[in-house]
Amino acid sequence: MKKTSRAIFAAGCFWELEKIFTKLNGVISTRCGYTGGRVPNPTHMEVSSGKTGHVHAVEIIFDSSKISYLQLLEIFFTTHDPSDYKQPPQFHSAIFYTNNSQKELALNKIQQLNSLKKYSSPIVTFVKLAHTFYPATKHHQHHWLHHQSQTHHLLP
């Protein structure tokens, strides 16, 4: 029986993150957008300025009977270096949880990865309660489908 859930992750370029999650069995849909900031209905240019507090993020609707939130977290942590804090603020690594279970799983995963010293520095991924997710324009959705020859820094 299908049980839909929602996850929101940020890890730099939302196009590459969307590409990875869209291809997973159990993922129903993905949307690129912005969240975590203080400006309502931000534009891409406003978020890109770094002044809104929003990050580029991907909202994932998934069937938790086919893929778990923990599996999504594990994939999320393989798509980028969550210990890198050098990027502009709109590209920070972040997890926006929708319930306490997601929050605990995220914090436990970070603690586990840090104790295993999986990265050269401690993980700096923000873990915050999800608030309003503002979808990016249609042009930004599934961008990778229209630009398949371009390669970026995230894993395929």
Side-chain angles (χ1 to χ4, degrees):
M1 183 172 164
K2 184 188 268 190
K3 184 176 181 222
T4 57
S5 296
R6 180 174 172 242
I8 302 172
F9 299 123
C13 177
F14 56 30
W15 293 329
E16 290 297 313
L17 199 58
E18 181 190 38
K19 176 182 174 181
I20 292 164
F21 284 104
T22 296
K23 295 179 178 184
L24 298 176
N25 183 35
V27 170
I28 298 165
S29 66
T30 59
R31 287 193 305 175
C32 291
Y34 318 104
T35 193
R38 61 196 166 278
V39 175
N41 300 306
T43 66
H44 184 76
M45 292 298 289
E46 289 171 330
V47 174
S48 294
S49 76
K51 297 176 183 176
T52 66
H54 290 291
V55 294
H56 289 236
V58 175
E59 178 186 58
I60 303 157
I61 305 301
F62 63 101
D63 180 348
S64 59
S65 69
K66 292 184 178 179
I67 189 166
S68 70
Y69 185 76
L70 183 57
Q71 289 171 302
L72 294 176
L73 276 174
E74 289 170 351
I75 292 163
F76 169 74
F77 281 112
T78 64
T79 63
H80 69 297
D81 180 353
S83 69
D84 182 4
Y85 198 75
K86 296 177 184 171
Q87 297 185 26
Q90 66 271 23
F91 295 122
H92 282 281
S93 176
I95 297 167
F96 296 91
Y97 61 89
T98 62
N99 58 49
N100 284 334
S101 174
Q102 286 185 356
K103 178 183 179 181
E104 287 188 33
L105 286 167
L107 292 173
N108 288 340
K109 189 65 180 173
I110 290 169
Q111 182 181 16
Q112 176 192 35
L113 292 170
N114 279 334
S115 65
L116 293 171
K117 299 190 187 297
K118 285 288 197 181
Y119 302 95
S120 58
S121 302
I123 291 173
V124 294
T125 300
F126 297 112
V127 179
K128 297 181 177 182
L129 177 63
H131 289 288
T132 305
F133 181 86
Y134 298 100
T137 61
K138 185 177 179 181
H139 165 77
H140 289 92
Q141 306 302 327
H142 305 293
H143 184 268
W144 59 274
L145 285 172
H146 309 292
H147 300 87
Q148 292 184 15
S149 63
Q150 295 178 355
T151 57
H152 295 281
H153 66 282
L154 296 179
L155 300 175

